[in-house]
């Protein structure tokens, strides 16, 4: 990397920070940054259950689909449902916003684009709960 070994003044760092903030990532950038993302263990567990019970959901958390500059974990394209699978602890730890803000923001963005969002935390990755929350689905 061409910045390797260079040091910047605080003023320079501040200016770089400001210029980066103005730079919005395109859907293409977002897709590329997620392309190699593997499924988390929670997503794998969720996928095993939905496959077993025959739900028509596709993993798209690797950037396959971007909706309003956000990438859901799974989608049901026919019913326009986005599914987010997450560990509460992680969402609270890594974001500079509250967990509820994160949830509401994603829900709003997906809704604006015509999608319904269903959230599953680590305690809800169980067959009966998944069936209840995504109910009314015909088995294939």
């Amino acid at each position: 990397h061409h910045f390797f070994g260079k040091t910047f003044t605080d003023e320079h760092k501040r200016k770089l920070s400001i210029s980066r903030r103005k730079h919005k990532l395109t859907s293409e950038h977002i897709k590329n940054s997620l392309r190699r993302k593997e499924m988390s263990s929670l997503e794998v567990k969720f996928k095993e259950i939905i496959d077993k019970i025959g739900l028509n959901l596709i993993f798209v958390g690797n950037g396959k689909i971007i909706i309003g500059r956000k990438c859901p974990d799974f989608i049901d394209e026919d019913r326009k449902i986005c599914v987010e699978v997450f560990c509460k602890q992680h969402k609270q730890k890594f974001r500079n916003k509250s967990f509820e803000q994160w949830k509401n923001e994603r829900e709003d963005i997906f809704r604006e684009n015509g999608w319904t969002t269903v959230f599953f935390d680590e305690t809800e990755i169980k067959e009966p709960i998944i069936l209840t929350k995504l109910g009314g689905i015909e088995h294939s």
Side-chain angles (χ1 to χ4, degrees):
H1 198 270
H2 62 281
F3 288 128
F4 187 72
K6 292 202 168 111
T7 53
F8 296 109
T9 64
D10 288 344
E11 178 62 10
H12 191 161
K13 287 180 200 168
R14 192 183 63 76
K15 284 180 178 171
L16 281 170
S17 170
I18 290 166
S19 74
R20 298 280 309 152
R21 269 182 247 156
K22 291 178 193 159
H23 186 75
K24 283 272 190 207
L25 290 178
T26 64
S27 288
E28 208 48 45
H29 281 121
I30 297 165
K31 273 185 181 171
N32 287 338
S33 72
L34 293 167
R35 194 171 42 213
R36 289 192 181 84
K37 180 185 169 279
E38 298 290 321
M39 263 194 231
S40 69
S41 55
L42 213 52
E43 289 165 344
V44 167
K45 191 175 167 189
F46 182 81
K47 176 132 179 48
E48 285 169 359
I49 295 170
I50 62 173
D51 286 351
K52 180 185 168 208
I53 58 184
L55 299 184
N56 186 25
L57 290 161
I58 313 159
F59 175 70
V60 293
N62 55 2
K64 209 180 287 182
I65 299 252
I66 304 289
I67 300 168
R69 298 171 38 78
K70 299 286 177 202
C71 177
D73 295 325
F74 294 86
I75 59 166
D76 175 335
E77 225 165 352
D78 300 335
R79 299 194 307 156
K80 290 198 84 140
I81 294 174
C82 293
V83 173
E84 293 286 16
V85 176
F86 62 92
C87 182
K88 256 189 181 156
Q89 222 180 339
H90 290 183
K91 293 298 177 209
Q92 279 159 337
K93 202 167 27 183
F94 294 122
R95 304 205 173 263
N96 53 1
K97 53 183 119 192
S98 79
F99 167 69
E100 285 306 316
Q101 283 173 302
W102 171 81
K103 249 174 112 168
N104 293 338
E105 183 183 282
R106 287 186 96 74
E107 214 166 10
D108 291 346
I109 288 166
F110 293 144
R111 188 184 314 107
E112 286 162 17
N113 288 278
W115 292 78
T116 304
T117 311
V118 182
F119 294 92
F120 290 92
D121 69 34
E122 69 278 14
T123 67
E124 299 173 307
I125 312 294
K126 298 176 179 126
E127 192 175 318
I129 297 172
I130 292 171
L131 274 170
T132 301
K133 284 181 123 184
L134 293 170
I137 298 174
E138 321 76 57
H139 293 286
S140 49

